């Protein structure tokens, strides 16, 4: 499909001569052109002093035209590739004579004008191949018909073109400072601080400028439209129908959908058999690992939340807020610092070790049992939220689990083996835990727990001075201690959560808060339920009840706290 036939260009020439006053531009008309850019959408005419956006199908050239009426006219043409390299060239042809050779004053027939242009290849002024933003600048250009031809041989792509005959006064693109480099002034494990010199367009020309910073892991970008093309690469609405399809305006209801071979006859772009599959492909958008942040007129910026020991590329663009046109600084790259190597804690056989982990943090422990061990047991008591545990033996992963409350893991031993334990904290906040590793067959330090560690209160058994509660036990005989604490009526779940550290034992409670201690177990796990009536309470008051189960080594585990309230009137 010819995107811009010669006869269209010739038809447009009178329009060019009337609407584009080159070089003596009609400013009022020019302002109209700038405001109504739709006039130049998908047109072969380049307006004077306005940036246009275009789209190229692979291996399909596109041509643009503009007329310079007088000799010695300044001329500037800027082509910005977006997501693929371009080949482009600028050629000059003389304007066809308006009158015939006989001097009749009648214009030559259209076919003769067309043939006259086609037969003249014109003079090539400039050519370029690549993905840089490239300029053609001339302080004195001859009159004539200028043709800009562009082609993309790699893939379908976007581009931008700007042309002006008054480059000295227009200057829509921000000017770069004498040193256009972006400098890395500070480097951390998760942060990088950037600095650059401000554009003179803001300070000297008093134009509104803002800076946009782009961060990615692949490469530096040479234009902001290249950034936007990358960010929008997987958007279904950015896909363009392939050339050769005879579509009408109603087809744009399906814009972006693939077509079958009978697209010219059947307007349904999505075959029924594959519609659901195509819809999944369009709606599933892979994550684009690129970030663009516009920060106003500041020329220092700290990028945060980066990954340690990772290389990033940083680009800065000065954007003219009045024209929305931009200029790229010379980008830079940097590798964030490595994580500080953590000290590995050595676990002693049969001894409980307390471990504190920062939010989202990691701790490493090592266990080296006697060389002749047959089994290894790891007992873990997570005091707050769930934590992740991994155990490797001589580099081989043996287990990976989430632990909430008390868990015990038993692994088969191996002579002279070394065990590396990796503990990862919660995303919600800091984590605390107790861990014991042993190769001996002794009683475990932490008591066994039922799956459900809630305390149940019986509402119908409430009185003005007592409440009745129940909790589950296990088949193992354990000692249970009950504590009470008076709390305000507005005691919330947030307050209760702060006191949910299961590793804090009865030794942290006041003696006056102790209610009772008793031993309990049941061989039938389904009947391992015990009840207790808490007496001596005040009418209409709220209390927090806690049940502690004591282990053989003196370590205790707390059940989930329960808020109860006595009746106010009896």
């Amino acid at each position: 499909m010819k995107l811009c036939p010669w006869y269209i260009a010739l038809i447009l020439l009178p329009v060019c001569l009337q609407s584009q006053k080159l070089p003596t531009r009609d400013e009022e008309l020019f302002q109209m052109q700038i405001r109504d850019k739709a006039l130049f959408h998908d047109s072969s005419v380049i307006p004077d002093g306005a940036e246009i956006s275009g789209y190229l199908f692979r291996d399909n050239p596109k041509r643009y035209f503009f007329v310079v009426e007088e000799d010695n006219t300044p001329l500037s043409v800027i082509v910005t590739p977006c997501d693929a390299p371009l080949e482009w060239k600028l050629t000059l042809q003389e304007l066809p004579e308006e009158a015939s050779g006989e001097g009749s004053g009648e214009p030559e027939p259209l076919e003769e004008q067309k043939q006259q242009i086609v037969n003249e290849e014109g003079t090539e002024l400039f050519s370029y191949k690549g993905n840089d933003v490239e300029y053609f600048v001339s302080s004195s250009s001859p009159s004539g018909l200028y043709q800009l031809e562009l082609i993309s041989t790699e893939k379908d792509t976007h581009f931008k073109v700007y042309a002006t005959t008054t480059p000295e006064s227009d200057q829509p693109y921000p000017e770069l400072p004498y040193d256009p480099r972006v400098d890395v002034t500070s480097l951390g494990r998760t942060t990088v601080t950037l600095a650059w010199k401000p554009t003179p367009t803001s300070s000297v020309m008093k134009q509104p400028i803002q800076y946009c910073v782009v961060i990615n892991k692949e490469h530096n970008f040479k234009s902001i439209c290249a950034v936007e093309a990358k960010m929008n690469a997987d958007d279904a609405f950015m896909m363009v129908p392939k050339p050769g399809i005879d579509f009408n305006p109603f087809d744009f209801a399906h814009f972006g959908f693939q077509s079958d071979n009978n697209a010219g006859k059947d307007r349904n772009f999505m075959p029924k058999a594959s519609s659901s599959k195509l819809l999944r492909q369009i709606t599933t958008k892979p994550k684009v690992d690129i970030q663009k942040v516009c920060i106003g007129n500041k020329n220092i910026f700290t990028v945060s939340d980066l990954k340690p020991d990772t290389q990033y590329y940083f680009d800065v663009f000065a954007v003219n807020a009045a024209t929305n046109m931009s200029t790229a600084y010379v980008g830079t790259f940097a590798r964030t610092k490595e994580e500080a190597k953590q000290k590995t804690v050595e676990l002693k056989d049969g001894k409980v070790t307390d471990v504190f982990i920062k939010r989202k943090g990691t701790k490493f422990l090592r266990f080296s049992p006697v060389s002749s061990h047959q089994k290894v047991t790891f007992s873990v008591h997570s005091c707050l939220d769930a934590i992740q545990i991994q155990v490797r033996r001589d580099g081989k992963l043996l287990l990976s689990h989430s632990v909430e409350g008390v868990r015990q893991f038993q692994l088969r031993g191996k002579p002279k083996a070394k065990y590396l334990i990796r503990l990862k904290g919660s995303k919600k906040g800091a984590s605390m835990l107790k861990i014991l590793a042993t190769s001996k067959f002794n009683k475990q330090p932490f008591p066994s727990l039922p799956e459900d560690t809630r305390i149940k209160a019986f509402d119908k058994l409430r009185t003005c001075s007592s409440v009745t509660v129940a909790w589950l036990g296990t088949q193992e005989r354990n000692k249970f201690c009950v504590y009470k604490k008076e709390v305000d009526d507005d005691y919330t779940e947030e307050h209760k959560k702060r006191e949910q550290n299961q590793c804090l034992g009865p030794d942290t409670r006041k003696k006056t808060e102790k209610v009772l201690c008793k031993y309990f177990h049941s061989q039938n796990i389904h009947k391992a339920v015990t009840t207790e009536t808490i007496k001596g309470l005040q009418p209409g008051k709220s209390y927090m009840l806690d049940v502690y189960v004591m282990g053989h080594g003196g370590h205790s585990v707390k059940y989930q706290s329960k808020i109860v309230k006595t009746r106010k009137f009896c």
Side-chain angles (χ1 to χ4, degrees):
M1 182 177 69
K2 285 284 185 182
L3 296 178
C4 186
W6 283 101
Y7 68 88
I8 294 180
L10 289 170
I11 292 172
L12 288 170
L13 280 178
V15 178
C16 296
L17 295 173
Q18 293 173 19
S19 63
Q20 287 183 238
K21 301 298 184 180
L22 299 175
T24 55
R25 183 170 60 193
D26 186 326
E27 289 299 327
E28 182 178 349
L29 187 57
F30 171 69
Q31 292 301 325
M32 178 276 294
Q33 294 173 354
I34 297 298
R35 288 195 303 269
D36 193 2
K37 292 186 179 180
L39 290 174
F40 303 101
H41 177 68
D42 202 25
S43 166
S44 58
V45 177
I46 300 178
D48 189 5
E51 186 181 65
I52 63 169
S53 299
Y55 192 87
L56 283 173
F57 295 111
R58 184 170 64 88
D59 293 330
N60 279 261
K62 197 164 191 176
R63 300 177 182 90
Y64 288 91
F65 302 89
F66 57 94
V67 174
V68 174
E69 295 177 332
E70 298 180 4
D71 290 333
N72 304 318
T73 299
L75 178 62
S76 176
V77 178
I78 303 172
V79 177
T80 303
C82 291
D83 45 349
L86 296 180
E87 296 180 31
W88 63 273
K89 64 179 179 179
L90 184 68
T91 57
L92 169 65
Q93 292 166 330
E94 291 186 5
L95 291 174
E97 294 293 335
E98 294 186 7
S100 63
E102 288 78 13
S104 63
E106 295 295 326
E108 294 180 355
L110 180 60
E111 284 302 315
E112 293 184 20
Q113 294 186 28
K114 172 185 171 184
Q115 191 63 38
Q116 182 179 348
I117 294 292
V118 171
N119 289 339
E120 297 179 8
E121 294 185 1
T123 304
E124 183 175 307
L125 303 177
F126 185 80
S127 64
Y128 174 76
K129 180 180 180 180
N131 59 358
D132 284 330
V133 179
E134 192 56 61
Y135 299 73
F136 169 79
V137 179
S138 173
S139 59
S140 179
S141 297
S143 61
L145 175 66
Y146 286 76
Q147 173 186 287
L148 176 66
E149 181 177 298
L150 307 99
I151 187 171
S152 173
T153 58
E154 286 193 10
K155 63 177 183 177
D156 300 351
T157 183
H158 295 82
F159 64 91
K160 292 180 182 292
V161 175
Y162 173 80
T164 180
T165 55
T166 55
E168 290 298 323
S169 59
D170 283 2
Q171 296 187 351
Y173 295 95
E175 184 182 345
L176 289 176
Y178 66 91
D179 182 1
R181 294 173 299 179
V182 177
D183 295 318
V184 175
T185 60
S186 177
L187 187 64
R189 289 191 295 272
T190 60
T191 61
V192 172
T193 300
L194 308 171
W196 57 92
K197 293 178 173 57
T199 167
T201 304
S202 176
S203 57
V204 178
M205 302 183 68
K206 305 299 181 184
Q207 293 197 30
I209 296 294
Q210 72 164 340
Y211 297 100
C212 293
V213 181
V214 174
I215 309 104
N216 80 106
K217 297 179 184 177
E218 295 182 6
H219 54 76
N220 289 109
F221 289 92
K222 298 178 180 179
S223 68
I224 215 164
C225 82
V227 174
E228 291 167 349
K230 177 70 173 177
M231 295 176 74
N232 297 327
D234 300 298
D235 283 347
F237 67 85
M238 290 299 294
M239 296 170 62
V240 177
K242 298 297 179 185
I245 298 176
D246 179 23
F247 51 78
N248 63 29
F250 296 101
D251 291 327
F252 284 87
H254 309 283
F255 195 66
F257 291 170
Q258 297 179 4
S259 62
D260 55 20
N261 293 329
N262 298 319
K265 299 177 182 178
D266 184 2
R267 293 297 178 183
N268 184 5
F269 271 44
M270 187 182 291
K272 292 182 180 179
S274 60
S275 61
S276 60
K277 181 179 178 181
L278 286 171
L279 188 59
R280 285 197 301 270
Q281 292 176 350
I282 291 169
T283 55
T284 302
K285 177 184 174 184
K287 182 180 179 182
V288 179
D289 196 7
I290 182 172
Q291 185 181 7
K292 174 187 166 190
V293 184
C294 294
I295 60 170
N297 58 5
K298 297 183 297 182
N299 62 323
I300 297 176
F301 182 67
T302 298
V303 186
S304 56
D305 295 327
L306 302 176
K307 292 182 179 180
D309 193 26
T310 304
Q311 182 156 303
Y312 291 90
Y313 294 84
F314 305 97
D315 291 290
V316 173
F317 299 91
V319 182
N320 188 327
T323 64
N324 202 33
M325 296 163 76
S326 60
T327 305
Y329 279 69
V330 178
T332 187
F333 61 89
R335 177 174 288 274
T336 50
K337 291 183 178 180
E338 296 182 12
E339 283 277 21
K341 291 189 177 180
Q342 298 183 6
K343 182 180 178 181
T344 303
V345 178
E346 196 74 36
L347 295 178
K348 294 183 178 180
D349 199 326
K351 184 179 179 181
V352 175
T353 301
D354 293 311
V355 180
F356 175 82
I357 309 174
K358 295 179 181 179
R359 176 176 173 268
K360 296 184 180 180
T362 305
K363 282 287 178 71
F364 290 93
L365 315 174
R366 185 184 291 112
F367 179 54
S368 305
V370 293
S371 59
S372 58
H373 68 283
Q374 295 181 342
K375 290 184 179 180
V376 171
T377 303
F378 293 96
S379 300
V380 182
H381 180 193
S382 177
C383 307
L384 299 170
D385 296 312
I387 58 100
Q388 299 288 328
I389 181 173
Q390 287 184 347
V391 178
R392 295 179 183 271
R393 183 181 63 202
D394 299 331
K396 182 180 179 181
L397 182 65
L398 300 182
L399 72 87
S400 179
H401 271 282
S402 175
V403 176
E404 191 168 8
V406 176
R407 285 293 299 271
Q408 182 174 297
F409 307 97
Q410 197 168 73
L411 305 174
R412 182 175 295 178
K414 185 178 181 182
K416 300 181 181 180
K418 308 288 183 185
Y419 298 83
L420 181 67
I421 303 98
R422 180 181 183 267
L423 302 170
K424 185 171 178 59
S426 168
K427 295 180 180 179
K428 299 178 182 178
S431 301
M432 295 174 61
L433 62 101
K434 294 177 180 288
I435 184 170
L436 176 140
T438 183
S439 59
K440 301 172 185 176
F441 297 97
N442 56 357
K443 290 185 177 180
Q444 297 304 313
F446 307 124
S448 59
L449 289 175
E451 289 187 5
D452 191 346
T453 60
R454 292 175 297 175
I455 302 171
K456 177 177 175 58
F458 298 96
D459 185 64
K460 292 183 179 181
L461 300 180
R462 281 192 308 141
T463 70
C464 290
S465 60
S466 68
V467 293
T468 300
V469 295
W471 63 90
L472 297 178
T474 65
Q475 294 172 311
E476 182 181 337
R477 188 171 185 268
N478 284 318
K479 180 182 179 182
F480 295 88
C481 292
V482 181
Y483 283 74
K484 64 176 174 61
K485 177 184 176 182
E486 186 177 334
V487 295
D488 296 331
D489 289 339
D490 60 352
Y491 194 83
T492 62
E493 287 296 320
E494 187 63 31
H495 289 96
K496 189 171 73 171
K497 187 176 180 182
R498 292 180 197 152
E499 302 188 33
Q500 283 302 313
N501 187 342
Q502 291 187 344
C503 295
L504 295 177
D507 55 324
T508 63
R509 305 296 294 263
K510 296 178 182 179
K511 290 183 179 181
T512 55
E513 295 176 353
K514 184 176 180 180
V515 177
L516 60 89
C517 289
K518 70 176 185 178
Y519 287 89
F520 167 73
H521 78 290
S522 176
Q523 293 300 326
N524 186 343
I525 191 64
H526 299 292
K527 295 183 179 180
V529 182
T530 183
T531 61
E532 197 65 44
T533 298
I534 315 298
K535 300 178 181 180
L537 308 178
Q538 298 297 316
K541 296 292 183 181
S542 296
Y543 294 86
M544 182 174 67
L545 300 182
D546 287 308
V547 173
Y548 297 88
V549 55
M550 313 303 293
H552 300 289
H555 297 283
S556 64
V557 178
K558 184 163 70 77
Y559 279 53
Q560 297 178 41
S561 299
K562 179 68 176 179
I563 303 296
V564 296
K565 188 173 183 179
T566 56
R567 296 189 184 276
K568 193 171 184 180
F569 303 103
C570 296

